[in-house]
Structure formats: C-alpha cells, structure tokens
Amino acid sequence: MHADEALALLDQLLPGYTFSNLQETVFSQVWEGKTYAEIAESCGYDHSYIRDVGFRLWQSLSESLNQKVSKSNIRAVVERYARHQSLPAAMVSAPEPAAASVLPDWELPNGPVPLTSQLYIERPPIETQTMAALLRPGSLIRLKAPRQMGKTSLLRRLVAHGQGHQMRCVTLSLHRADRQTFADLDRFLRWFCANISYQLGLEADLNRCWNRDIGSKVSCTAYLEDAVLAQVDTPLVIALDEVNELFQYPELASEFLPLLRSWYEEARESEPWSRIRWILAHATEVYAPLQLHQSPFNVGLAIRLPSFTLEQVQELAHRHRLPWAEGHDGAENLLSLLRVVSSRPGLVRLALYALAQGNTSLEQFLEEAPTQSGIYGDHLRELLAALYPHPDLQLALRWVFEAAEPVALEPITAYRLENLGLIDLYKNLATPSCELYRQYFLAFLPLPSSAAYG
Amino acid sequence: MVEYRVGGSLAANDPTYIEREADRTLYRALSQGELCYVLTSRQMGKSSLRLRTRQRLETEGMGRCAAIDLTRIGSQHITPEQWYLGLAFELWRRFGLAQTVNLPVWWQQLGPLPPVQKLSYWMESVLLVAEPDQPLFIFLDEIDGVKGLSFAVEDFFGLVRFCYNQRAENPAYRRLNWALFGVATPRNLVADLQQTPFNIGKAIALAGFSLSEAAPLAAGLLGLADRPDRVLAAVLHWTRGQPFLTQKLCGLIQTAAQNQAIAAGSEARAVERLVRSRLIHHWETQDDPEHLRTIRDRLLVDRLRSGRLLSLHQQLLMQGSLAADGSPEQAELKLSGLAIERDGDLRVANPIYAEIFNHDWVNRCLAQQRPYAVMLQAWVASNFQDDSRLLMGQALQDALHWAAHKSLSDLDYRYLSASQKWDANQVRLELEAKDRANQMLAEAQRRANQIIWFSYLSLGSCLAISLVALLVGLL
C-alpha cells in the first residue's frame, strides 16, 4: 500500500479529520520508512520540531481511531482497515453534534475545509466557473493563491465534483514527495506515474513502458498512454496540489512544466488525452528560469483566489453563530478583527472557531492572537520553524516588517517568503501580509547577529 | 455563444479559428511535397495552423500525419542516442504503428552506428516499409527546443535535408513530407549552409489577421454591439490582427459589453477604453496568460544584445519604420513579436506594443543597463556637484561607445557631456600644469644661470681684486 492510498483511506474513514500539509508530509515519509531526522532534512525543518509534529499526529490519530497509533504500528493499523474497508461499529456511528455546542468537536479549523462542512464559503463566480471548466474535455485549471487562501479546499471540491460526474480522480500533493524525488527528472516522472496508477487502482508496472534508451519524457508519455489512458475509459481528473514545491527545483520545473503543457496541447488532437482534466494549485507565480525556446506555462483557466470580502466573513461568522458579528455593528467588530488577521480564509476561520468556543472576548482574542499561546500558536510556530534554518530569510523578513514602506527583496528570497504567505508582493515590492505575522515575528525572530540586511 | 480562446492552440473545429493566407499556402505546398517551415514569434497561431492543416490533410485523404512537440523529447541531460531513438519512438507511435516492431530492440541491434544514421536507416527500412502506399506527413513543433540540448542537432536538420534530396534517387522518399514550426531564425538553428534544410524548403509567412479574414470573430459580439463589425474593426486597429491580442481583446469586450451594449458611433471609444484599462494600464500585473512579459523577457534576457535591440526598437518608435536589412538584430526583434516586416519595411507590430514598450519604457530599461549607472546615481545624489563622479579617460570612451546610436534620456546626455567637459578640462589643466612646470623649470634654469654668471663675475672680481692686492703688495 502506498502512502497516498493510506491517506486517501484515512480521509475516507475520518471525514471530519483533516491533515495539515506538514502532517501529510510527515505521515507519508514515515510510511515510506523514513526517520524523523531524514524527514527534517528533506523538508528543511528542525529535527525536534518534526518529532513534535509526529508525536502530536499519532496522538490525535489514536484519539480519532480509538486505538493506540504510533510511528511503528501505523502501517499495520491502516492496512488492517484497508482489508476490512471499514471502521469498528463504534466508530461509524459518530455521535450527532449536540445542539448546545456551537461547533461539532470534529471540525477542527486546521487544514482544508472538509467536503461535508457547512463552513465552506463560496466565492462567486469562482466555484461555478471552475466546475464548468472541469466538465470540458482537455481542460486545465490553475488555482493560484498564497497559503491559507483555500486552494486545497477548492481543489478537493473540484475533485468531488468530477467524481459526481463519473470521472476518475487523482490528487497528487507535491509536498508529499521527499526531496530525493525532485533530485532528477527521471525519478520525479516515475513518482508521478506510479502515484497516478496507485490512486486509480491500476498496476504500476513502470518498467513495462520505461526504457532508458528513449529517455524519461518519452517513457513517461508512453506510460500515461499505455498504462493509464488505455486502461481507463472514463474522463480523468489529475489534480496537482502544491505545484510551487517544484519551483524550488528550477531545472526540473523547466523540464516538467513544458511537458505538462505539451500533454495539455495534445488534447486538441488526440481523444485519449482530451479525457484528462488538469487542476494545478500553486502558491506563487510560476517561477522557473526563463527558457527562451520554450512556450511559457500560460495555458488554461487561471484563477487567482481572492481574500474574503467582509460580507463573506460575516456569513462565515453567522455560520459560527456569533451574534456580535451580525448587522452593521457586527461588521465594525469584524473589521477590527480583520485588521489584525487579514481576510485570508484560513486565518479568519481559526479566529472564528476560537471565538465561537465562547471562552474569549474579541478584545482578549486580539491581544492573544500574536502570542505563542493564542489560537495561531501552532501555525505561527510552524512558520517560525520553517524560517529557523534560514538566517537570510529571517533577516529579509525582519527588514520587511520593520520598514514603513514596501521593500525590494532579492527575487529568490521574495519568492520563498511569499510562498510561506508571510509577505505580499506587488511589482517586486514586499509588504507584510498581515499584522498578526508582523507582531509575532518582530517579537520572536532571533535578532540578527550581523549587520542589517541589504 | 462563441467563446474566444486566449493562449494555447485552437482545436481544428474551433469556431474562432481564423483562416489566413498561410493556411492555403501551407496546405498547397505540403500537398505538392514541398518541405515547409513556419518560423515566427510566439502566439501567432503556429500550433493552431499545424493542427488545422493536419486535420485537413487527413480528412481529404492526402496521407497519414504525425505531429511531435520536440520539447517532449529533449531534456538537458539527454544523450544524442536517447534523443534520436526517442524521436523515432514518438513518430512510430504517432503514426499508430506501435505494435508491429519493438523499436528499442531493433535500434540496439544496429550497434555502434551514429544515431542520426540509425534514424535515417529506420525511416527508410522500417517506417516507409510499414506504410508502403500513403504519403506520410511529419509535423515538428517547437523546433527551437533543440537549442536547449547539450549537443548540436545540425545532423538532424541535415537528415531532413537529405530526405528531401533523396527524392530524386529513391521514389519512396517522395512519400515523406516535413513541416517544421518554431520560434527561431534558420541561421539560429543551423549555421552550416550545406546542412540546412531551410534554404531548399518553403518559408510560410504567418501574418496577423486582416479585417476581412477576421470577420467571423464578429459573431461573438452579436447582441453586444449595435455594429459588431465596427467593433471588430476597432479591435484590429489596436491589435493589427495579432491573434493572441485579438482574441483576448474580443473576450474582454464580450465580458464588458454584457452589462451595456456598445452603441453605434461609440465603438472606437469603447474599445480604446478597454485597451487602456485592461491591457496597457499596469500591464505587467494584467498580463495573464503571459504574452507581453514574454516579449519583454526576450528583449532583455541577453544583456549583451539587449542594448542593441532596445535602440533598434527605439529607432522604430521614432521613425515609424526602417528598411528591412535582414540583420541579426532585426531578425531577433521580429522573433520577439515586437516588430513585423511588411513590404520591405520593419515597423512596430501594433499600437498596443508601441504604447506599452514606449520611449519611457525603453529609457528605463536602458537606464538599468548603462555601464555607468552607479557613478551617475552618485553624481545626481551630489546634486550634480561632485565632479569626482564624472567619467574620464577609458571609462568615458567606453560609455560613449555604448551610448552611440542610442537615444538616451536628457540626464544621460547631461552626465556624458559633463563628463566630456570635465575630461577635456582635466586634459587642458594637465597641459597647463605641464606648461607651467616647464616655465618654472626654465625660469629656475635662467636663475641658476644668472647665479652662475653672477658667481663667475664675483669670483672674477674677487680674483681681480686679490690680484691687484697681490701686485700692490709685491710692488
């Protein structure tokens, strides 16, 4: 069983449970037999932090599955479920959410919004536009937005929409692949093909089509034609999430993206290829070194996910049953919230979740938000941990947060910070993406030991 | 409703496909067995033309076709052996002959022959044999992709030429037809005149849509304007029929006019407003799918050449047109899409480009490239006072050389002329100083001589006095 299948099974078994990106990464790599040290190395985090994430992941999975889960037995546990394809009876009849509790316990506000959730707020016309595009043969949809903007939530809804129309669907999250996978083109294409086959329940016999003598790209195309498209006669959705992972490997990106483009173009003249609908979600602009001889990756329907409007935030607050957010005064109250946490869907949702618990007032919340113990504690620590191994990023970030004016950064630094959602870029000038981050990081970023940046 | 297509190629049956002169020439030339090539800038509709032509050849039963995008075969680390076999393998599959021969095994059996020879042998003894009756058409797209390979593929182009020349001796080769598409100049791809297929093949020129050709596009504006044809004419005024821009602008009009139809008489104004607000204003952030940024990058990416390209473009902006001379700079400017050649003249392709890549833009780019940027900044910062920031000697000569034939900003000229003046002044001062030093030297010498004479004299007089004294004493 492959890590992606295991995650898909868990998604199915625990519909309310959502994994954060990092949890998925840790899960997948533990599944592949990696140690925490190796995982930390491959995704650029601190070792102790990854151990911590892992520990908490097993803990919460143990609770959800009602049995002891650990790094060493996760494979056995999940594979047992896979054999029975179901949960013990006790688990299936999950208790109905009591009317008194504002939010059912299971709907934790991290990760993508579950498909069944009431808390998904549509941002017209994006949903209808993308769902219509998905039904067109040979279409390609690009979802572009920083972190915490709801890319994955929309992507999952699109995939579900495809499934509702009898399409076979594959979702590949590129952050689930370890660093070695990106080391060379051949390895990456093999990973890509194998995962597609696994998810479609096809035998992944790569060696049948893979031939060193004809090169990886030709092999990969032949594989998709013979071992995938020839085996599946329904329309097929291939969704790639976190495509921005690829941009860190410019050489690979400049090989793979044009290949993807050529497959997309092939749909115009070949029936099998026109059965594929591509969905690509990425956090930053397509960032690959300029290859003058290649067509740019500029095809398909490009959707830039916007932040919530005030009305949308108010609607979400309404669904959280927050009386103080209703009406005109409520809008004023919400504005004071948005000034700190910005109107990024992910951050707003966390805030409303915390406020809906009823233990804290808005003022108290705003005071605690940028601290370690606030609701954003985990999220902020995760960002801090991501910055930890990179003093250059810390320095640049401090510079942006301290400046009164937009700041010009070196492109790669800017790209990496934007990728983390920490800055907004407009015409190469960086500004803090929200007040929450500014306050937290100015307090917790290590002070620079050398002279100031730039 | 007719939907406009922005970016990517159009399916052969797309209602917004516009048939042009090139459609007819390419089809005619290919069906007469000519070796054809379409080399032009990005987003001119090359791939759509290829698709359409292929479909027409197939439906009219002219033969079998295979189309290959070369970016799909090559990669940076691929070996020549893999590339040639990959090409054969793809051709084999695209012609739908996959099941008959195990190609990699067949290829291996040929042993250590050069790969291009294996490909040639394969075409003659396998491909043409497997399909013994019908003509075969091979369409190669993105042929400029070969420039990214780590080895030269001149041999491959040599093979294409060879196949064409073989027709006289081996009739089987008459069934093999080639059409090449890409963004390159023939000279870019193959320097060797003996190997190039481009001087024996037929170049197919791909121009923008003319007003009459574009007429079917007005169908998408029905009901959205009183006079759709006038709207279309206004669109073509701005785009000059550049396919990508034309489709994009029509799409923008379609969306904008949903709310308010374009009234008779207001067509030009309505279109201009959209062009300015949605294409030109903040073009770098509105350019999605990417089109204008590709043009910009193509002009600026090669630091060594971009100065010359920019100044050529600047001349076009100022003079309206220049005589086409086939120089590498002109060819590159055409490939970027920014300039087109018509009736022997080179000019900026359309008013949209002219407004976006205007004088100010060129000046800003040149400003970033000027070799004396740091010194100039410091000079400006000193409020034009700090003469030590001016250029002198060799640095000045280099800067003047760089500035030649460019039209730079007033600030550049002010700086350069201040530098020249300063430099000349320095030279004059040096000369004067030398003069003065010489004078001083002469004066000093004169004085020294005087002193010497004076001392001779005094010595003489002393001597005379002492002689007199001696004589007086003796007497």
Side-chain angles (χ1 to χ4, degrees), chain A residues 23-41:
Chain A
Q23 282 176 327
E24 276 186 1
T25 310
V26 170
F27 182 95
S28 310
Q29 299 201 22
V30 164
W31 189 269
E32 309 290 348
K34 298 268 164 58
T35 65
Y36 286 141
E38 285 166 338
I39 299 170
E41 154 71 18

Side-chain angles (χ1 to χ4, degrees), chain A residues 13 68 141 143 288 306 336:
Chain A
L13 291 175
K68 181 90 185 98
I141 302 166
L143 306 176
S336 64

Side-chain angles (χ1 to χ4, degrees), chain A residues 7 10-11 17-21 23-24 27 57 61 111-112 156:
Chain A
L7 279 165
L10 286 174
D11 283 343
Y17 193 95
T18 43
F19 294 92
S20 73
N21 284 351
Q23 282 176 327
E24 276 186 1
F27 182 95
L57 174 65
L61 276 178
R156 293 204 179 164

Side-chain angles (χ1 to χ4, degrees), chain A residues 211-214 217-218 225-226 251 255 259 262 265-266 268-269 292-295 298 426-427, chain B residues 8-9 42-43 50 54 69 71-72 74-77 82 89 93-94 104 108 142 144 289-290:
Chain A
N211 191 323
R212 237 195 64 77
D213 298 339
I214 56 176
K217 282 175 160 179
V218 177
E225 285 178 355
D226 294 356
E251 202 177 290
E255 301 281 8
L259 182 62
S262 84
E265 295 284 2
E266 185 81 26
R268 278 352 105 218
E269 47 190 325
L292 277 185
H293 59 80
Q294 286 166 351
S295 291
N298 61 358
Y426 182 72
K427 286 189 160 189
Chain B
S9 54
R42 291 246 170 267
Q43 290 158 323
R50 167 176 71 69
R54 175 203 173 148
D69 178 336
T71 50
R72 198 189 277 179
S75 63
Q76 225 174 347
H77 299 297
Q82 287 173 322
F89 187 82
R93 290 173 67 88
R94 302 296 143 211
Q108 285 305 326
E142 308 265 352
D144 40 322
E290 184 174 312

Side-chain angles (χ1 to χ4, degrees), chain A residues 141-156:
Chain A
I141 302 166
R142 282 183 290 144
L143 306 176
K144 185 169 65 176
R147 268 157 70 131
Q148 304 287 332
M149 289 292 272
K151 287 186 299 298
T152 307
S153 298
L154 176 57
L155 183 128
R156 293 204 179 164

